[in-house]
Amino acid sequence: MVPLSHVIWLSAALFTIGVIGALTRRNLIVILMSIELMLNAVNLSLVGFARVWGDLGGQVFVLMVIAVAAAEVAVGLGIVISLFRNRDSVNVEDVSLLKW
Amino acid sequence: MTASAVLFYLFGALALGSAIAMVLNVRNTVAAALSLVVTMIALAGVFVLLDAFLVGAIQIMVYAGAIVVLFLFVVMLLNLRTDLFPPGRSFLPKVLGVVAALCLLALLVPRIGAHLPAPALLPEGFGGFRTVGLALFTRYLLPLEVASLLLLAAIVGAVVLAKRRID
Amino acid sequence: MVEAARALPTLAATPSTLLRWIPLLPLIAAVVHGVMLGLLRRTLSRGAVIALSVGSVIASFLLSVVAFGQLIGLPEGQRAFVDDVYTWIGAGRFSAEMSFLLDPLSAVMILVVTGVGSLIHVYSVGYMDDDHRDDKGFQRFFCYLNLFTFSMLMLVLGDNLLVLFLGWEGVGLCSYLLIGFWYMDKWNAYCGSKAFIVNRIGDFGFLLGIFLLFSSLAAAGHPTVAFRDIAAAFPRIAEQTVQMPDLLGGGEWKLATLIGVLFFVGAMGKSAQIPLYVWLPDAMAGPTPVSALIHAATMVTAGVYMVCRLNFVYTAGPGAAALVAWIGGVTALFAATIAITQTDIKKVLAYSTVSQLGYMFVAAGCGAFSGAIFHLATHAFFKALLFLGAGSVILAMHHEQDVDKMGGLRKAIPITHWTFLVGVLAISGIPFFSGFFSKDEILLAAHGAEQIPGHEALWAIGLFTAGLTALYMFRLYFRTFHGSFRGTSEQLHHVHEPAQTVLVPLVVLAVLSAAGGLIGVPQVYGDILGVKNANSLAHFLAQVVGLHEAEVPQAEELRLAALAVLVASIGIALAWWLYVQAPSVPQRVRESVGWAYRLLFGKYYVDELYDMLFVNPLKWISENVFYKGVDAGLVDGVLVNGSANAVQAVAARALKYLQSGFAQSYLFFMVAGALAIVAWLVV
């Protein structure tokens, strides 16, 4: 097996790319996709550690993460569609009502 | 270098590359989504290399095959094209954000190298369908059931949100 | 090396549950009135108010008589009843009970307070009935009067310093309420405030005295404020000395002297001695029964009572005793000189009260504590009589108080005239009236008080002041009741004798003023008549204050008495000549020594001096420093408004940008936060 540190570095790099995408892009859907990328990075890290310690719990956790991600995407895209219907835009700057 | 090591670095580079492509791709949202698919498949390969066979298969079936497809559906439904920056909006927060994320990475990376445990000897069938399946339905039964409830809630939520108003 | 003194055994006292009712009955009446007027806003009928208020005080008097009878029944030297109601303060080794002590001293006081108080309550029914302004005024008056009676009884019946102080403050409060009774007129309210504030200055000294006494006793192992315990334990600290700080002149003072001085400061305020007497003349703004009760018979005598109660302090601290005696003497003279020029009938009596209180303190300072109490009692009789008589005259003259507008009233209001004359004779010290015996005892004590420096001068001052007293009192009498009427014919038409309820107390007090001296007849007369222990009052009080024997031979004593009578007679004769025979002479005197007249008539300008020295600077500081500077500027401006503005500056101009509504900025802050935490953990 490849040294664990390489696995973790890959995971960290993917996570950082996901954060940059979530912070930088204006399109709501792309932001959601970046969030998915972040989740994937975490999944990678979990699988790596599961392998190293021989513990299946890590892999089960990954399955849960995937389930949660699926639910989140479903609901999130539903919200995006409603937003688009109301404002005719999926620009994140146009949905800045979450204040005070 | 063993074959699995080579494959790992290959898949790793692929994942990284398409991730960057996804984030940087401004013009074409569909292309971004497809880049995401590539990332996911590459990661599935990495999973298999790490003896997580069921997880790898699920990754392809559910993540790449369903979730990103869902993204594509929505992109095409909403007929989105480009995501150009409009003039006047300041870059500063974005730059700051990028810098912060990179700093975080820079802090973490050097310290990951040390004190990591050595790989353990794996029992027979580790990561395979039978073992993981059994674990899911015995030791990790509760999380499984809770996850199914969560999916139920998500279904209901998605239907409610996407419904057209009945006029 | 002298051994530290031993403590004496505490006087044992018989328990009794009767005592608590003596102050409690007037309190109940006051509370009923207070609740009705304050909370329920309903008034009782006049009859009900009278029955409740006057009845409660008369009941207290009857209970006092019963208690006194029980007290006499106890063997001599052990006469003490204690009523321990409950433990008021309990802290570690120290406890102060709410308990009442009936011993000879407090027995005399409660008889005077409830007795004279009942008479004045009855008088007030007739006097305040004239006040048809509003019915509530009648009830409110009796509410305050009952509250005052309660406080005064607490003061004299208190078994410890704290209960005494409670009553002390209570009478101060009621004095304020009653002086400013007709508060619609701002001047009356001002006089009430003045009385209260000047009293409080004295109370500061009083409190310091209590603290010093208690801490000294506690340091010696007796943390107590109960009188019997203090009296017993006092010998342990009687010889201690205190090093005064250089700021106050350095030097070593006896502890007893310092304590005595501090307590006397309280007495200066409450009993209107120099320098804190200025409130008493202005207190005449209140209704006349108030002046009679509070400012003649009871409240102002609280200082004298307190000094006598703490007689062991003054006996052990001769410096303090000398101060008491001299201040008393100087005040007596000072007030008498002012009284001979005043034209308001009540003001003359007010200065007279200040002067007579000075006499009481002369006696106390010279060690004749029972003499002071004797004069307290006789003064209560004749001064209350004089005030009530003046009130009757004021009523007859339809609220005219200026003596210059009266004259020749003796035919029109005969009963008032004759009772007033009895009072004037008593205060002047004419033989066999009560004032004669009490004043002589005081002068004799001053004459024989070797331990007071300059005691002969003190005696001379007392003698001269006695002459002045006779002069101004008879001046008042002649101007009011003799000669021709100087008011308007309208007033003359309305002059008539007031109601029964006003006259009966006058008669009773006249009898007491005439015959009351019999309780304290000096032994010298007893020897002439072959009666042993003629001075029953002195012997009765000996258990508490000790027996003061002036070492003066009998012949000397009789000579001194004759001298005093002579001086008084000269005063009366002078008054007769000036105000009856030759009315133009006073006018000519005034013109020739105009400056002296103006000085005396203007009360030595002491009020103006105090205004300039204390009142106006304080008012200026209050207005400019505290109001404008601290309150409006600091508290309002910086603390209240300033903090609000600061919050607004931070929140409205800075913090609000944090909540922009952009989800991406929120995410940025999350990342930054995570970065900070990781950096802290890692670095």
Side-chain angles (χ1 to χ4, degrees):
Chain A
M1 190 197 135
V2 173
L4 182 60
S5 49
H6 294 198
V7 177
I8 306 303
W9 280 334
L10 177 63
S11 163
L14 284 173
F15 187 85
T16 310
I17 295 171
V19 169
I20 291 175
L23 283 178
T24 317
R25 300 294 298 263
R26 289 184 322 142
N27 191 324
L28 256 180
I29 297 181
V30 176
I31 291 177
L32 278 173
M33 288 201 285
S34 307
I35 293 176
E36 290 309 308
L37 183 58
M38 285 197 265
L39 284 169
N40 268 284
V42 172
N43 282 352
L44 174 61
S45 165
L46 275 168
V47 165
F49 275 107
R51 167 71 180 82
V52 159
W53 277 318
D55 185 0
L56 274 177
Q59 297 186 7
V60 170
F61 203 110
V62 169
L63 290 176
M64 297 302 130
V65 171
I66 294 176
V68 168
E72 165 227 330
V73 166
V75 175
L77 287 175
I79 292 175
V80 168
I81 291 178
S82 304
L83 272 172
F84 183 80
R85 281 204 199 124
N86 280 311
R87 283 156 211 279
D88 210 30
S89 149
V90 283
N91 195 335
V92 75
E93 283 153 15
D94 293 335
V95 292
S96 63
L97 284 179
L98 197 70
K99 53 186 170 184
W100 356 294
Chain B
M1 281 240 272
T2 61
S4 56
V6 171
L7 277 176
F8 170 81
Y9 290 120
L10 202 64
F11 281 132
L14 188 59
L16 268 176
S18 46
I20 293 174
M22 178 198 94
V23 167
L24 286 184
N25 193 329
V26 178
R27 293 184 191 286
N28 197 336
T29 318
V30 176
L34 290 174
S35 306
L36 187 62
V37 174
V38 173
T39 312
M40 304 231 169
I41 293 175
L43 278 180
V46 174
F47 287 167
V48 167
L49 284 168
L50 289 174
D51 288 302
F53 307 108
L54 178 60
V55 172
I58 300 276
Q59 167 93 343
I60 295 185
M61 280 197 294
V62 173
Y63 236 128
I67 290 177
V68 185
V69 171
L70 191 57
F71 270 112
L72 276 168
F73 279 169
V74 172
V75 168
M76 289 177 190
L77 183 68
L78 302 184
N79 220 356
L80 297 173
R81 299 286 164 73
T82 54
D83 189 27
L84 288 169
F85 296 114
R89 175 104 165 84
S90 101
F91 283 123
L92 180 62
K94 300 192 191 247
V95 169
L96 272 181
V98 170
V99 166
L102 287 174
C103 282
L104 191 58
L105 183 65
L107 268 181
L108 285 175
V109 161
R111 279 152 186 85
I112 293 174
H115 311 304
L116 288 176
L121 268 178
L122 293 177
E124 181 72 41
F126 182 85
F129 287 69
R130 179 182 290 243
T131 7
V132 178
L134 270 174
L136 262 183
F137 280 95
T138 52
R139 200 168 153 211
Y140 298 103
L141 183 59
L142 184 60
L144 182 72
E145 299 302 330
V146 172
S148 59
L149 274 177
L150 174 69
L151 290 172
L152 175 64
I155 292 170
V156 171
V159 167
V160 165
L161 277 171
K163 227 163 55 151
R164 279 200 190 273
R165 259 178 290 135
I166 300 172
D167 293 332
Chain C
M1 161 109 166
V2 179
E3 211 181 68
R6 311 248 97 212
L8 300 170
T10 307
L11 178 66
T14 322
S16 150
T17 53
L18 171 69
L19 296 178
R20 69 189 70 173
W21 291 108
I22 298 177
L24 209 52
L25 291 174
L27 177 66
I28 292 172
V31 167
V32 167
H33 289 315
V35 165
M36 292 219 63
L37 285 178
L39 287 177
L40 303 177
R41 304 207 175 266
R42 313 226 326 262
T43 54
L44 291 172
S45 69
R46 298 235 158 174
V49 169
I50 296 169
L52 186 57
S53 294
V54 181
S56 65
V57 179
I58 292 182
S60 275
F61 174 65
L62 294 172
L63 284 177
S64 307
V65 173
V66 168
F68 176 73
Q70 286 180 344
L71 193 69
I72 306 255
L74 291 177
E76 199 169 315
Q78 287 167 34
R79 291 186 174 136
F81 282 112
V82 155
D83 188 354
D84 205 336
V85 182
Y86 65 95
T87 303
W88 181 15
I89 302 173
R93 280 208 303 156
F94 169 70
S95 76
E97 319 288 316
M98 178 63 67
S99 71
F100 301 116
L101 172 71
L102 186 74
D103 67 0
L105 181 59
S106 54
V108 171
M109 292 302 296
I110 58 172
L111 284 175
V112 168
V113 170
T114 52
V116 176
S118 309
L119 290 169
I120 294 180
H121 274 74
V122 171
Y123 177 94
S124 303
V125 169
Y127 192 86
M128 295 306 285
D129 206 16
D130 182 63
D131 191 18
H132 284 297
R133 274 170 270 201
D134 61 79
D135 223 18
K136 281 207 290 287
F138 190 76
Q139 189 170 358
R140 184 163 64 96
F141 184 78
F142 278 100
C143 173
Y144 293 159
L145 216 58
N146 281 132
L147 192 64
F148 169 82
T149 311
F150 159 71
S151 302
M152 190 69 202
L153 288 168
M154 289 279 278
L155 199 160
V156 296
L157 274 178
D159 186 31
N160 57 56
L161 275 168
L162 293 180
V163 177
L164 188 149
F165 191 67
L166 184 66
W168 188 273
E169 293 297 311
V171 294
L173 170 70
C174 295
S175 172
Y176 163 78
L177 290 172
L178 284 163
I179 294 173
F181 183 70
W182 291 311
Y183 58 85
M184 309 294 187
D185 187 348
K186 263 198 159 166
W187 174 253
N188 299 337
Y190 167 77
C191 291
S193 302
K194 182 174 178 180
F196 191 75
I197 292 172
V198 176
N199 257 223
R200 288 301 275 161
I201 298 174
D203 291 348
F204 180 61
F206 192 104
L207 275 173
L208 287 180
I210 295 182
F211 296 153
L212 185 57
L213 179 61
F214 177 70
S215 69
S216 312
L217 282 172
H222 299 271
T224 173
V225 283
F227 290 126
R228 289 172 291 135
D229 293 330
I230 296 177
F234 196 75
R236 301 242 359 228
I237 62 167
E239 295 303 318
Q240 283 180 5
T241 57
V242 173
Q243 182 68 30
M244 296 293 275
D246 286 331
L247 197 68
L248 295 169
E252 255 193 41
W253 283 38
K254 248 183 120 175
L255 179 67
T257 302
L258 187 57
I259 294 177
V261 168
L262 287 171
F263 275 113
F264 185 59
V265 171
M268 275 185 211
K270 191 66 74 182
S271 298
Q273 298 296 291
I274 290 174
L276 297 173
Y277 69 93
V278 289
W279 63 271
L280 187 51
D282 283 327
M284 297 300 114
T288 309
V290 169
S291 308
L293 180 62
I294 297 185
H295 307 126
T298 47
M299 180 178 109
V300 293
T301 56
V304 181
Y305 167 74
M306 184 264 292
V307 168
C308 292
R309 180 55 84 189
L310 296 170
N311 59 80
F312 43 85
V313 173
Y314 292 97
T315 315
L323 179 75
V324 170
W326 269 102
I327 297 240
V330 172
T331 307
L333 180 61
F334 180 81
T337 55
I338 300 180
I340 55 178
T341 61
Q342 298 297 312
T343 56
D344 182 328
I345 193 174
K346 284 177 71 171
K347 283 256 165 48
V348 175
L349 294 176
Y351 283 106
S352 169
T353 302
V354 175
S355 182
Q356 296 301 309
L357 286 168
Y359 270 109
M360 293 180 218
F361 282 112
V362 167
C366 293
F369 297 104
S370 70
I373 300 290
F374 186 25
H375 199 58
L376 190 158
T378 60
H379 176 262
F381 300 147
F382 54 67
K383 194 45 71 59
L385 170 62
L386 287 168
F387 265 111
L388 296 186
S392 173
V393 168
I394 293 173
L395 274 184
M397 292 287 295
H398 222 60
H399 294 288
E400 174 63 68
Q401 293 183 210
D402 190 347
V403 156
D404 280 341
K405 301 215 176 58
M406 302 180 194
L409 291 176
R410 67 181 191 278
K411 296 282 173 23
I413 42 175
I415 300 184
T416 307
H417 165 240
W418 285 112
T419 53
F420 199 86
L421 181 60
V422 169
V424 172
L425 285 170
I427 196 176
S428 303
I430 298 303
F432 309 120
F433 285 88
S434 54
F436 167 68
F437 292 116
S438 58
K439 204 175 282 199
D440 264 1
E441 195 169 331
I442 295 173
L443 290 175
L444 188 66
H447 186 75
E450 306 287 342
Q451 76 276 18
I452 309 280
H455 67 102
E456 288 292 343
L458 198 57
W459 169 80
I461 290 176
L463 189 65
F464 180 63
T465 309
L468 281 180
T469 306
L471 174 61
Y472 66 69
M473 287 307 320
F474 270 92
R475 164 181 176 266
L476 187 68
Y477 166 72
F478 286 133
R479 292 286 282 168
T480 309
F481 293 103
H482 283 251
S484 49
F485 188 72
R486 292 180 294 277
T488 67
S489 56
E490 175 81 28
Q491 285 173 321
L492 185 60
H493 186 67
H494 282 282
V495 167
H496 63 87
E497 199 80 86
Q500 275 300 68
T501 47
V502 166
L503 292 178
V504 168
L506 286 177
V507 173
V508 174
L509 282 170
V511 170
L512 284 171
S513 302
L518 292 175
I519 57 171
V521 177
Q523 187 55 40
V524 64
Y525 302 107
D527 288 337
I528 294 174
L529 296 172
V531 176
K532 208 164 87 74
N533 282 358
N535 195 341
S536 21
L537 183 66
H539 282 101
F540 184 56
L541 290 175
Q543 173 193 321
V544 183
V545 299
L547 200 57
H548 171 86
E549 298 283 359
E551 288 94 23
V552 176
Q554 275 196 14
E556 179 86 19
E557 199 175 326
L558 286 172
R559 263 214 334 263
L560 290 171
L563 195 55
V565 172
L566 178 66
V567 169
S569 312
I570 293 175
I572 299 174
L574 194 58
W576 167 265
W577 179 58
L578 284 174
Y579 297 104
V580 178
Q581 292 285 79
S584 58
V585 175
Q587 183 65 25
R588 287 214 306 268
V589 170
R590 247 175 266 158
E591 277 155 17
S592 60
V593 278
W595 60 270
Y597 172 73
R598 273 196 302 278
L599 183 67
L600 293 182
F601 189 71
K603 313 165 276 152
Y604 293 94
Y605 300 109
V606 173
D607 277 316
E608 288 76 6
L609 185 69
Y610 282 176
D611 270 347
M612 187 182 77
L613 281 181
F614 305 115
V615 176
N616 289 336
L618 273 176
K619 281 213 272 201
W620 186 88
I621 293 177
S622 246
E623 176 84 34
N624 293 300
V625 174
F626 287 117
Y627 174 58
K628 289 192 189 136
V630 175
D631 192 36
L634 183 66
V635 174
D636 259 354
V638 173
L639 293 178
V640 175
N641 291 344
S643 61
N645 286 339
V647 169
Q648 192 192 33
V650 171
R653 282 174 229 149
L655 283 180
K656 76 175 176 184
Y657 294 112
L658 279 182
Q659 294 191 324
S660 57
F662 294 117
Q664 283 183 319
S665 64
Y666 296 163
L667 180 60
F668 165 67
F669 283 118
M670 276 201 268
V671 172
L675 175 65
I677 292 179
V678 167
W680 182 68
L681 280 175
V682 160
V683 170

